[in-house]
Amino acid sequence: MNSKKCIAMLLAGGQGSRLGVLTSKIAKPAVPYGGKYRIIDFPLSNCVNSGIDTVGILTQYKPLELNDYIGSGKTWDLDRLNGGVHILPPYQGQHGGDWYKGTANAIYQNMEFIERYDPEYVLILSGDHIYKMDYSKMLNEHIKSEAACTIAVLEVPDEEASRFGIMNTRADGSIYEFEEKPKNPKSNLASMGIYIFNWSKLRKYLTEDENNPDSSNDFGKNIIPAMLNNNELLRVYRFNDYWKDVGTVDSLWEANLDLLNPKIDLDLSDKNWRIYSRTASMPPQYVSDTAQVENSLITDGCEISGKLDYSVLFENVTVEEGAAVEYSLVMPGAVVKKGAVVRYSIIAENVVVGENASVGTEPTPDSDANWGITVIGDGLTVGKNAAVGPNKMITENIKEGEKI
């Protein structure tokens, strides 16, 4: 094996429980996004665009669809003889099998994989963020500063800082303290969960952490604080472009509709920084003369005869004549029948919304605290004339005329 300067380890094992029914059958990084992508397309495309050709993907929860989707890695030009993309599930050791206990333990269990490439640096990534980033710039800064670890950060509004892991820094960008969701934040530099470590240092701290029975084996809670306690040099790398953690229904909905907002800089058609995706080729979309479409994203294979406004439609979606879809995401293969109205909702793959049914409602000044995005789970049917209110997570078929 030729040694590599830097390899990436992509944490993609999360259950994504806050996405509810959307992740009941698939891992969070495999959730569809933006018409023809999946969330994991973003870190994988960032790697190959940044010149990193060796990626270990650590899977755990419901990995089947994710494994199938990634395949040999050819889509992202990661089908390499030396390097490429590798799926790394938890495996049985001599002492029985062990689920990944935390983010640090997941990397610890795969130290043999990392050693195979004898890298100087290891880039740790998360599989559930939407962003475009050149990791090579971050790596160059890391090398130049001679830090043991560099952590990518994003400035967040002061009033939101207590929702994040916050890095407190000196004037030169070195970190003196890390606080997880602090009540009274001292800074607004939020960790993006993107780290570059010198491999020799990371190996030492992972091994010590694994031997500590009281550790929760987590980068934020254990590894970073341990390095700071030992006076290692940790630095921040500031990132100023679009970044979204899509761990909740609301943030997934917002991140998709951001694609329709001209004020938000997330250009997926940029030829210089392509986001690669493994979408089967489809016939072009068909928009009939009865359709009314405003500010929406329609993917190949769709048939639109109804009304669309500020919505994202994934491939092979049908919206029949007289139906209306507003401020919603409709995932692959779903059908919205005649007269049905879908508002402020996420319709999962292969759902059928029956004739004259209504799903979700728009927020009004009088909406109570219980208003929210409604989600209809994978493959379900909403019966004819049924009505589903706001902020519902639907996990079973809804009968004709039923009101929920």
Side-chain angles (χ1 to χ4, degrees):
M1 280 285 171
N2 298 341
S3 63
K4 299 278 182 184
K5 183 176 174 183
C6 180
I7 73 167
M9 299 294 274
L10 176 55
L11 296 158
Q15 188 171 344
S17 51
R18 292 178 303 163
L19 286 172
V21 72
L22 294 171
T23 49
S24 61
K25 294 177 185 168
I26 56 173
K28 184 160 58 168
V31 168
Y33 169 81
K36 65 175 192 175
Y37 303 94
R38 291 181 188 251
I39 296 168
I40 200 163
D41 289 334
F42 286 80
L44 285 178
S45 299
N46 287 340
C47 280
V48 78
N49 289 332
S50 304
I52 293 169
D53 65 6
T54 306
V55 185
I57 301 181
L58 289 74
T59 62
Q60 176 155 281
Y61 171 81
K62 304 266 185 192
L64 198 62
E65 190 159 343
L66 190 60
N67 295 359
D68 281 353
Y69 182 71
I70 289 160
S72 67
K74 188 169 190 285
T75 301
W76 304 271
D77 191 27
L78 287 169
D79 52 337
R80 307 292 175 100
L81 281 172
N82 177 29
V85 70
H86 299 263
I87 303 282
L88 303 170
Y91 53 85
Q92 296 273 157
Q94 286 172 314
H95 309 292
D98 228 349
W99 281 88
Y100 295 145
K101 296 195 283 276
T103 51
N105 172 259
I107 304 295
Y108 174 83
Q109 282 199 37
N110 289 285
M111 290 211 306
E112 264 180 49
F113 170 80
I114 297 172
E115 294 287 8
R116 240 159 98 187
Y117 298 99
D118 186 28
E120 283 181 73
Y121 308 102
V122 175
L123 168 67
I124 309 283
L125 300 169
S126 171
D128 50 5
H129 300 147
I130 303 287
Y131 65 112
K132 298 197 301 191
M133 180 177 183
D134 187 343
Y135 304 133
S136 68
K137 289 183 181 170
M138 182 176 171
L139 180 61
N140 290 341
E141 267 200 31
H142 172 78
I143 295 167
K144 208 163 71 183
S145 71
E146 299 184 336
C149 171
T150 299
I151 299 170
V153 294
L154 191 75
E155 284 191 29
V156 294
D158 291 341
E159 62 276 12
E160 287 181 30
S162 54
R163 290 178 32 222
F164 295 92
I166 294 294
M167 297 290 162
N168 297 324
T169 61
R170 302 178 186 93
D172 65 353
S174 61
I175 300 165
Y176 67 85
E177 186 183 32
F178 171 62
E179 292 186 289
E180 186 66 66
K181 300 185 178 168
K183 281 204 170 61
N184 302 301
K186 299 171 196 163
S187 129
N188 67 345
L189 295 179
S191 168
M192 295 166 65
I194 298 169
Y195 312 102
I196 294 179
F197 290 93
N198 295 353
W199 172 231
S200 55
K201 292 278 188 193
L202 179 58
R203 182 172 47 205
K204 168 183 179 287
Y205 282 97
L206 286 175
T207 307
E208 288 172 6
D209 182 68
E210 190 62 27
N211 293 327
N212 174 1
D214 301 325
S215 174
S216 47
N217 308 120
D218 184 83
F219 276 103
K221 291 189 190 117
N222 307 107
I223 301 287
I224 303 299
M227 292 180 81
L228 288 171
N229 288 342
N230 282 353
N231 295 318
E232 298 282 7
L233 175 57
L234 276 71
R235 294 182 63 86
V236 292
Y237 174 79
R238 289 169 178 261
F239 181 73
N240 301 315
D241 291 324
Y242 182 91
W243 179 85
K244 190 93 165 181
D245 179 343
V246 284
T248 65
V249 165
D250 284 5
S251 62
L252 178 67
W253 178 82
E254 284 166 13
N256 274 275
L257 295 192
D258 280 348
L259 291 169
L260 305 174
N261 185 342
K263 292 181 184 153
I264 286 177
D265 181 24
L266 181 63
D267 178 12
L268 299 186
S269 60
D270 181 356
K271 300 281 187 291
N272 299 321
W273 199 270
R274 276 198 55 194
I275 301 299
Y276 299 90
S277 124
R278 191 178 167 186
T279 308
S281 57
M282 299 274 169
Q285 72 262 46
Y286 171 70
V287 179
S288 84
D289 53 6
T290 60
Q292 295 169 271
V293 178
E294 282 188 62
N295 199 17
S296 293
L297 194 157
I298 306 170
T299 309
D300 292 352
C302 289
E303 290 190 25
I304 313 300
S305 302
K307 183 181 171 200
L308 275 189
D309 189 13
Y310 221 81
S311 294
V312 175
L313 270 54
F314 292 71
E315 69 260 22
N316 276 347
V317 166
T318 303
V319 178
E320 293 187 353
E321 192 173 339
V325 177
E326 298 170 2
Y327 290 84
S328 294
L329 317 181
V330 187
M331 291 188 173
V335 177
V336 182
K337 297 270 198 183
K338 286 179 185 156
V341 177
V342 174
R343 290 193 185 104
Y344 291 86
S345 297
I346 299 177
I347 306 296
E349 298 187 47
N350 303 314
V351 165
V352 176
V353 179
E355 285 185 27
N356 299 316
S358 85
V359 176
T361 57
E362 63 185 296
T364 63
D366 310 328
S367 293
D368 61 16
N370 291 327
W371 184 87
I373 302 301
T374 288
V375 182
I376 310 289
D378 192 47
L380 297 179
T381 299
V382 178
K384 197 173 170 180
N385 300 318
V388 182
N391 202 24
K392 298 282 190 273
M393 180 75 70
I394 303 301
T395 56
E396 47 195 47
N397 290 332
I398 293 176
K399 299 186 188 75
E400 188 172 329
E402 197 175 350
K403 298 206 171 4
I404 287 181

Coordinates of all heavy atoms in Angstrom, one line a residue, residues 226-293:
A226 N -9.4 16.2 26.5 CA -8.1 15.5 27.0 C -6.9 16.2 26.3 O -5.9 16.4 27.0 CB -8.2 14.1 26.6
M227 N -7.0 16.5 25.1 CA -5.9 17.2 24.4 C -5.7 18.6 24.9 O -4.5 19.0 25.1 CB -6.2 17.3 22.9 CG -6.2 15.9 22.2 SD -6.5 15.9 20.4 CE -4.9 16.4 19.8
L228 N -6.8 19.3 25.2 CA -6.6 20.7 25.8 C -6.0 20.6 27.2 O -5.1 21.4 27.5 CB -8.0 21.4 25.9 CG -8.6 21.8 24.6 CD1 -10.0 22.3 24.7 CD2 -7.7 23.0 23.9
N229 N -6.4 19.6 28.0 CA -5.8 19.4 29.3 C -4.3 19.1 29.3 O -3.6 19.4 30.2 CB -6.5 18.3 30.1 CG -7.9 18.6 30.5 OD1 -8.2 19.8 30.5 ND2 -8.7 17.7 30.8
N230 N -3.9 18.5 28.2 CA -2.4 18.2 28.0 C -1.7 19.3 27.3 O -0.6 19.1 26.8 CB -2.3 16.9 27.3 CG -2.5 15.7 28.2 OD1 -2.7 15.9 29.4 ND2 -2.5 14.5 27.6
N231 N -2.3 20.5 27.1 CA -1.7 21.6 26.5 C -1.3 21.4 25.1 O -0.3 21.9 24.6 CB -0.5 22.1 27.3 CG -0.9 22.7 28.7 OD1 -1.9 23.4 28.7 ND2 -0.2 22.3 29.7
E232 N -2.0 20.5 24.4 CA -1.8 20.3 22.9 C -2.2 21.6 22.2 O -3.2 22.3 22.7 CB -2.5 19.1 22.4 CG -2.2 17.8 23.0 CD -0.9 17.2 22.4 OE1 -0.2 17.9 21.7 OE2 -0.6 16.0 22.8
L233 N -1.6 21.9 21.1 CA -2.1 23.1 20.3 C -3.3 22.7 19.4 O -3.1 21.8 18.5 CB -0.9 23.6 19.4 CG -1.3 24.7 18.5 CD1 -1.8 25.9 19.2 CD2 0.0 25.2 17.7
L234 N -4.4 23.2 19.7 CA -5.6 23.0 18.9 C -6.0 24.4 18.3 O -6.0 25.4 19.1 CB -6.8 22.5 19.8 CG -6.8 21.0 20.0 CD1 -5.7 20.5 20.9 CD2 -8.1 20.5 20.6
R235 N -6.4 24.4 17.1 CA -6.7 25.7 16.4 C -8.0 25.6 15.7 O -8.5 24.5 15.3 CB -5.6 26.1 15.4 CG -4.3 26.3 16.0 CD -3.3 26.8 15.0 NE -3.7 28.0 14.3 CZ -3.4 29.2 14.7 NH1 -2.7 29.4 15.8 NH2 -3.8 30.3 14.1
V236 N -8.7 26.7 15.5 CA -9.9 26.8 14.7 C -9.6 27.1 13.2 O -8.6 27.8 12.9 CB -10.9 27.8 15.3 CG1 -11.5 27.4 16.6 CG2 -10.4 29.2 15.3
Y237 N -10.4 26.6 12.4 CA -10.4 26.9 11.0 C -11.8 27.5 10.7 O -12.8 26.9 10.8 CB -10.2 25.7 10.1 CG -10.3 26.0 8.6 CD1 -9.3 26.6 7.9 CD2 -11.5 25.7 7.9 CE1 -9.4 26.9 6.5 CE2 -11.6 26.0 6.5 CZ -10.5 26.6 5.9 OH -10.6 26.8 4.5
R238 N -11.8 28.8 10.3 CA -13.1 29.5 10.1 C -13.7 29.2 8.7 O -13.0 29.3 7.7 CB -13.0 31.0 10.3 CG -12.7 31.4 11.7 CD -12.3 32.9 11.8 NE -12.1 33.3 13.2 CZ -13.0 33.9 13.9 NH1 -14.2 34.3 13.4 NH2 -12.7 34.3 15.2
F239 N -15.0 28.8 8.7 CA -15.7 28.5 7.5 C -16.8 29.5 7.4 O -17.6 29.8 8.3 CB -16.2 27.1 7.5 CG -17.0 26.7 6.3 CD1 -16.3 26.4 5.1 CD2 -18.3 26.5 6.3 CE1 -17.0 26.0 4.0 CE2 -19.0 26.1 5.1 CZ -18.3 25.9 4.0
N240 N -17.0 30.2 6.2 CA -17.9 31.3 6.1 C -19.1 31.0 5.1 O -19.9 31.9 4.9 CB -17.2 32.6 5.7 CG -16.1 32.9 6.6 OD1 -16.4 32.9 7.8 ND2 -14.9 33.3 6.1
D241 N -19.1 29.9 4.5 CA -20.2 29.6 3.5 C -21.3 28.9 4.1 O -21.4 28.6 5.3 CB -19.6 28.9 2.3 CG -18.6 29.7 1.6 OD1 -18.8 30.9 1.4 OD2 -17.6 29.2 1.1
Y242 N -22.2 28.4 3.2 CA -23.5 27.8 3.6 C -23.1 26.4 4.3 O -22.3 25.6 3.8 CB -24.4 27.5 2.4 CG -25.7 26.8 2.8 CD1 -26.8 27.6 3.0 CD2 -25.8 25.5 2.8 CE1 -28.0 27.0 3.4 CE2 -27.0 24.9 3.2 CZ -28.1 25.6 3.4 OH -29.3 25.0 3.8
W243 N -23.8 26.2 5.5 CA -23.6 24.9 6.2 C -24.9 24.7 6.9 O -25.4 25.5 7.6 CB -22.4 25.0 7.1 CG -22.2 23.7 7.9 CD1 -21.5 22.6 7.6 CD2 -22.6 23.5 9.3 NE1 -21.4 21.7 8.6 CE2 -22.1 22.2 9.6 CE3 -23.4 24.2 10.2 CZ2 -22.4 21.6 10.9 CZ3 -23.6 23.6 11.5 CH2 -23.1 22.3 11.8
K244 N -25.4 23.4 6.8 CA -26.6 23.1 7.6 C -26.6 21.7 8.1 O -26.3 20.8 7.4 CB -27.8 23.2 6.6 CG -29.2 23.2 7.3 CD -29.6 24.6 7.5 CE -31.1 24.7 7.8 NZ -31.5 26.0 8.1
D245 N -26.8 21.6 9.4 CA -26.9 20.3 10.0 C -28.4 19.9 9.8 O -29.3 20.5 10.3 CB -26.6 20.4 11.5 CG -26.8 19.1 12.3 OD1 -27.4 18.2 11.8 OD2 -26.2 19.0 13.4
V246 N -28.6 18.7 9.1 CA -30.0 18.3 8.8 C -30.5 17.2 9.7 O -31.0 16.2 9.2 CB -30.1 18.0 7.3 CG1 -30.2 19.2 6.5 CG2 -29.0 17.1 6.8
G247 N -30.3 17.4 11.0 CA -30.6 16.3 12.0 C -32.1 16.3 12.4 O -32.5 15.4 13.1
T248 N -32.9 17.4 12.0 CA -34.3 17.4 12.5 C -35.2 17.6 11.3 O -34.7 18.0 10.2 CB -34.5 18.6 13.4 OG1 -34.3 19.8 12.7 CG2 -33.6 18.6 14.6
V249 N -36.5 17.3 11.4 CA -37.4 17.5 10.3 C -37.4 18.9 9.8 O -37.3 19.2 8.6 CB -38.8 17.1 10.8 CG1 -39.9 17.6 9.9 CG2 -38.9 15.6 11.0
D250 N -37.4 19.9 10.8 CA -37.5 21.3 10.4 C -36.2 21.7 9.6 O -36.3 22.4 8.6 CB -37.6 22.2 11.6 CG -39.0 22.2 12.2 OD1 -39.8 21.4 11.7 OD2 -39.3 22.9 13.1
S251 N -35.0 21.2 10.1 CA -33.8 21.6 9.4 C -33.7 21.0 8.0 O -33.2 21.6 7.1 CB -32.6 21.4 10.2 OG -32.4 20.0 10.5
L252 N -34.2 19.7 7.9 CA -34.2 19.1 6.5 C -35.1 19.8 5.6 O -34.7 20.1 4.4 CB -34.6 17.6 6.7 CG -34.7 16.8 5.4 CD1 -33.3 16.6 4.8 CD2 -35.4 15.5 5.6
W253 N -36.3 20.2 6.1 CA -37.2 20.9 5.3 C -36.6 22.3 4.9 O -36.6 22.7 3.7 CB -38.5 21.1 6.1 CG -39.6 21.9 5.5 CD1 -40.5 21.5 4.5 CD2 -39.9 23.3 5.7 NE1 -41.4 22.5 4.2 CE2 -41.1 23.6 4.9 CE3 -39.4 24.2 6.6 CZ2 -41.7 24.8 5.0 CZ3 -40.0 25.5 6.6 CH2 -41.1 25.8 5.8
E254 N -36.0 23.0 5.8 CA -35.4 24.3 5.6 C -34.3 24.2 4.5 O -34.2 25.0 3.6 CB -34.9 24.9 6.8 CG -36.0 25.5 7.7 CD -35.4 25.8 9.1 OE1 -34.2 25.8 9.3 OE2 -36.2 26.0 10.0
A255 N -33.4 23.2 4.7 CA -32.2 23.0 3.9 C -32.7 22.8 2.4 O -32.0 23.2 1.5 CB -31.3 21.9 4.4
N256 N -33.8 22.1 2.2 CA -34.2 21.9 0.8 C -34.8 23.1 0.3 O -34.5 23.5 -0.9 CB -35.3 20.8 0.8 CG -34.7 19.4 0.7 OD1 -34.4 18.9 -0.4 ND2 -34.5 18.7 1.9
L257 N -35.6 23.8 1.0 CA -36.3 25.1 0.5 C -35.2 26.2 0.4 O -35.4 27.1 -0.4 CB -37.4 25.5 1.4 CG -38.6 24.5 1.4 CD1 -39.8 25.2 2.1 CD2 -39.0 24.0 0.0
D258 N -34.1 26.1 1.1 CA -33.0 27.1 0.9 C -32.5 27.1 -0.6 O -32.0 28.1 -1.1 CB -31.8 26.7 1.8 CG -32.0 27.2 3.2 OD1 -32.9 28.0 3.4 OD2 -31.2 26.8 4.1
L259 N -32.7 25.9 -1.3 CA -32.3 25.8 -2.7 C -33.1 26.8 -3.6 O -32.7 27.1 -4.7 CB -32.4 24.4 -3.2 CG -31.4 23.4 -2.6 CD1 -31.8 22.0 -3.0 CD2 -30.0 23.7 -3.1
L260 N -34.3 27.1 -3.1 CA -35.2 28.0 -3.9 C -35.0 29.5 -3.5 O -35.7 30.3 -4.1 CB -36.7 27.6 -3.6 CG -37.0 26.1 -3.9 CD1 -38.4 25.8 -3.4 CD2 -36.8 25.8 -5.3
N261 N -34.1 29.8 -2.5 CA -34.0 31.1 -2.1 C -32.8 31.8 -2.7 O -31.6 31.4 -2.5 CB -33.8 31.1 -0.5 CG -33.7 32.5 0.1 OD1 -33.5 33.5 -0.6 ND2 -33.9 32.6 1.4
P262 N -33.0 32.8 -3.6 CA -31.9 33.4 -4.3 C -30.9 34.0 -3.4 O -29.7 34.3 -3.8 CB -32.6 34.4 -5.2 CG -33.9 34.6 -4.6 CD -34.3 33.4 -3.9
K263 N -31.2 34.4 -2.2 CA -30.3 35.1 -1.3 C -29.3 34.1 -0.6 O -28.4 34.5 0.1 CB -31.1 35.8 -0.2 CG -31.9 37.0 -0.7 CD -32.6 37.7 0.4 CE -33.5 38.8 -0.2 NZ -34.7 39.0 0.7
I264 N -29.6 32.8 -0.8 CA -28.8 31.8 -0.1 C -27.8 31.2 -1.1 O -28.2 30.8 -2.2 CB -29.6 30.7 0.6 CG1 -30.2 31.4 1.8 CG2 -28.8 29.5 1.0 CD1 -31.2 30.5 2.6
D265 N -26.5 31.2 -0.7 CA -25.5 30.8 -1.7 C -25.2 29.3 -1.6 O -24.3 28.9 -0.9 CB -24.2 31.6 -1.4 CG -23.1 31.3 -2.4 OD1 -23.4 30.8 -3.5 OD2 -21.9 31.5 -2.0
L266 N -26.0 28.5 -2.3 CA -25.7 27.1 -2.3 C -26.0 26.6 -3.8 O -27.1 26.2 -4.1 CB -26.6 26.3 -1.3 CG -26.4 24.8 -1.3 CD1 -25.0 24.4 -0.9 CD2 -27.4 24.1 -0.4
D267 N -25.0 26.8 -4.6 CA -25.2 26.6 -6.0 C -24.8 25.1 -6.4 O -23.6 24.8 -6.4 CB -24.4 27.6 -6.9 CG -24.5 27.3 -8.3 OD1 -25.4 26.6 -8.7 OD2 -23.7 27.9 -9.1
L268 N -25.8 24.3 -6.6 CA -25.5 22.9 -6.9 C -25.2 22.7 -8.4 O -24.8 21.6 -8.8 CB -26.7 22.0 -6.5 CG -27.0 22.0 -5.0 CD1 -28.1 21.0 -4.7 CD2 -25.8 21.8 -4.1
S269 N -25.2 23.7 -9.2 CA -24.9 23.6 -10.6 C -23.5 24.1 -10.9 O -23.1 24.1 -12.1 CB -25.9 24.4 -11.5 OG -25.8 25.7 -11.1
D270 N -22.7 24.4 -9.9 CA -21.4 24.9 -10.0 C -20.4 23.8 -10.6 O -20.2 22.8 -10.0 CB -20.8 25.4 -8.7 CG -19.4 25.9 -8.7 OD1 -18.8 25.9 -9.8 OD2 -18.9 26.4 -7.7
K271 N -20.0 24.0 -11.8 CA -19.2 23.0 -12.5 C -17.8 22.8 -11.8 O -17.1 21.8 -12.0 CB -19.0 23.4 -14.0 CG -20.2 23.5 -14.8 CD -20.8 22.2 -15.2 CE -22.0 22.3 -16.2 NZ -23.2 22.8 -15.6
N272 N -17.3 23.9 -11.2 CA -16.0 23.8 -10.5 C -16.0 23.0 -9.2 O -14.9 22.7 -8.7 CB -15.4 25.2 -10.3 CG -15.3 26.0 -11.6 OD1 -14.9 25.4 -12.6 ND2 -15.6 27.2 -11.6
W273 N -17.2 22.8 -8.7 CA -17.2 22.1 -7.4 C -18.5 21.2 -7.4 O -19.5 21.5 -6.8 CB -17.3 23.1 -6.2 CG -16.9 22.4 -4.9 CD1 -17.7 21.7 -4.0 CD2 -15.6 22.2 -4.4 NE1 -17.0 21.1 -3.0 CE2 -15.7 21.4 -3.2 CE3 -14.3 22.6 -4.8 CZ2 -14.5 21.1 -2.4 CZ3 -13.2 22.2 -4.0 CH2 -13.3 21.5 -2.9
R274 N -18.4 20.2 -8.2 CA -19.6 19.4 -8.5 C -20.0 18.6 -7.3 O -19.1 18.1 -6.6 CB -19.4 18.4 -9.7 CG -19.6 19.1 -11.0 CD -19.8 18.2 -12.1 NE -20.9 17.2 -11.9 CZ -21.0 16.1 -12.6 NH1 -20.2 15.8 -13.6 NH2 -22.0 15.3 -12.3
I275 N -21.3 18.5 -7.0 CA -21.8 17.5 -6.0 C -22.3 16.3 -6.8 O -23.2 16.4 -7.6 CB -22.9 18.1 -5.2 CG1 -22.4 19.4 -4.4 CG2 -23.4 17.1 -4.2 CD1 -21.3 19.2 -3.5
Y276 N -21.6 15.2 -6.7 CA -21.9 14.0 -7.5 C -23.0 13.2 -6.8 O -23.0 13.2 -5.6 CB -20.6 13.2 -7.6 CG -19.5 13.9 -8.3 CD1 -18.5 14.6 -7.6 CD2 -19.3 13.8 -9.7 CE1 -17.5 15.3 -8.2 CE2 -18.3 14.5 -10.3 CZ -17.4 15.2 -9.6 OH -16.4 15.9 -10.2
S277 N -23.8 12.6 -7.6 CA -24.9 11.9 -7.0 C -25.2 10.7 -7.9 O -25.1 10.7 -9.1 CB -26.1 12.8 -6.9 OG -27.2 12.2 -7.6
R278 N -25.6 9.6 -7.2 CA -25.9 8.4 -8.0 C -27.4 8.2 -8.3 O -28.1 7.4 -7.7 CB -25.4 7.2 -7.2 CG -25.4 5.9 -7.9 CD -24.8 4.8 -7.1 NE -25.1 3.5 -7.7 CZ -24.8 2.3 -7.2 NH1 -24.3 2.3 -6.0 NH2 -25.1 1.2 -7.8
T279 N -27.9 9.1 -9.1 CA -29.3 9.0 -9.4 C -29.5 8.3 -10.8 O -28.8 8.7 -11.7 CB -29.9 10.5 -9.5 OG1 -29.6 11.1 -8.3 CG2 -31.4 10.4 -9.6
A280 N -30.4 7.4 -10.8 CA -30.6 6.7 -12.1 C -31.1 7.7 -13.1 O -31.8 8.6 -12.8 CB -31.7 5.6 -11.9
S281 N -30.7 7.5 -14.4 CA -31.2 8.5 -15.4 C -32.7 8.2 -15.7 O -33.1 7.1 -15.8 CB -30.4 8.3 -16.7 OG -30.5 7.0 -17.2
M282 N -33.4 9.3 -15.7 CA -34.8 9.3 -15.8 C -35.2 10.1 -17.1 O -34.5 10.9 -17.6 CB -35.5 10.1 -14.7 CG -35.1 9.5 -13.3 SD -36.3 8.2 -13.0 CE -35.6 7.5 -11.5
P283 N -36.5 9.8 -17.6 CA -36.9 10.7 -18.7 C -37.1 12.1 -18.1 O -37.2 12.3 -16.9 CB -38.3 10.1 -19.1 CG -38.7 9.3 -17.9 CD -37.4 8.8 -17.2
P284 N -37.1 13.1 -19.0 CA -37.2 14.5 -18.5 C -38.6 14.7 -17.9 O -39.5 13.9 -18.1 CB -37.1 15.4 -19.8 CG -37.2 14.4 -20.9 CD -36.9 13.1 -20.5
Q285 N -38.7 15.7 -17.0 CA -40.0 15.9 -16.4 C -41.0 16.4 -17.4 O -40.7 17.1 -18.4 CB -39.9 16.9 -15.2 CG -39.6 18.4 -15.6 CD -38.2 18.7 -15.5 OE1 -37.3 18.0 -16.0 NE2 -37.8 19.9 -14.9
Y286 N -42.3 16.2 -17.1 CA -43.4 16.6 -18.0 C -44.3 17.6 -17.2 O -44.8 17.2 -16.1 CB -44.2 15.4 -18.5 CG -45.4 15.9 -19.2 CD1 -45.4 16.5 -20.5 CD2 -46.7 15.7 -18.7 CE1 -46.5 16.9 -21.2 CE2 -47.8 16.1 -19.3 CZ -47.7 16.7 -20.6 OH -48.9 17.1 -21.2
V287 N -44.4 18.8 -17.7 CA -45.2 19.8 -17.0 C -46.4 20.1 -18.0 O -46.1 20.7 -19.1 CB -44.4 21.1 -16.7 CG1 -45.3 22.1 -16.0 CG2 -43.3 20.7 -15.8
S288 N -47.6 19.7 -17.7 CA -48.7 19.9 -18.6 C -49.2 21.3 -18.7 O -48.9 22.2 -17.9 CB -49.9 18.9 -18.2 OG -50.7 19.6 -17.3
D289 N -50.1 21.6 -19.6 CA -50.6 22.9 -19.8 C -51.6 23.3 -18.7 O -52.0 24.5 -18.5 CB -51.2 23.2 -21.2 CG -52.3 22.1 -21.5 OD1 -52.6 21.3 -20.6 OD2 -52.8 22.1 -22.6
T290 N -52.0 22.3 -17.8 CA -52.9 22.7 -16.7 C -52.1 23.0 -15.5 O -52.6 23.4 -14.4 CB -53.8 21.5 -16.4 OG1 -53.0 20.4 -16.0 CG2 -54.7 21.2 -17.5
A291 N -50.8 22.8 -15.5 CA -49.9 23.0 -14.4 C -49.7 24.5 -14.1 O -49.6 25.3 -15.0 CB -48.6 22.3 -14.6
Q292 N -49.5 24.8 -12.8 CA -49.1 26.2 -12.4 C -47.9 26.0 -11.5 O -48.1 25.5 -10.4 CB -50.2 26.9 -11.7 CG -51.5 27.2 -12.4 CD -52.6 27.7 -11.5 OE1 -53.3 26.9 -10.9 NE2 -52.6 29.0 -11.2
V293 N -46.8 26.5 -12.0 CA -45.5 26.2 -11.2 C -44.9 27.5 -10.9 O -44.6 28.3 -11.7 CB -44.5 25.3 -12.0 CG1 -43.3 25.1 -11.2 CG2 -45.2 24.0 -12.3

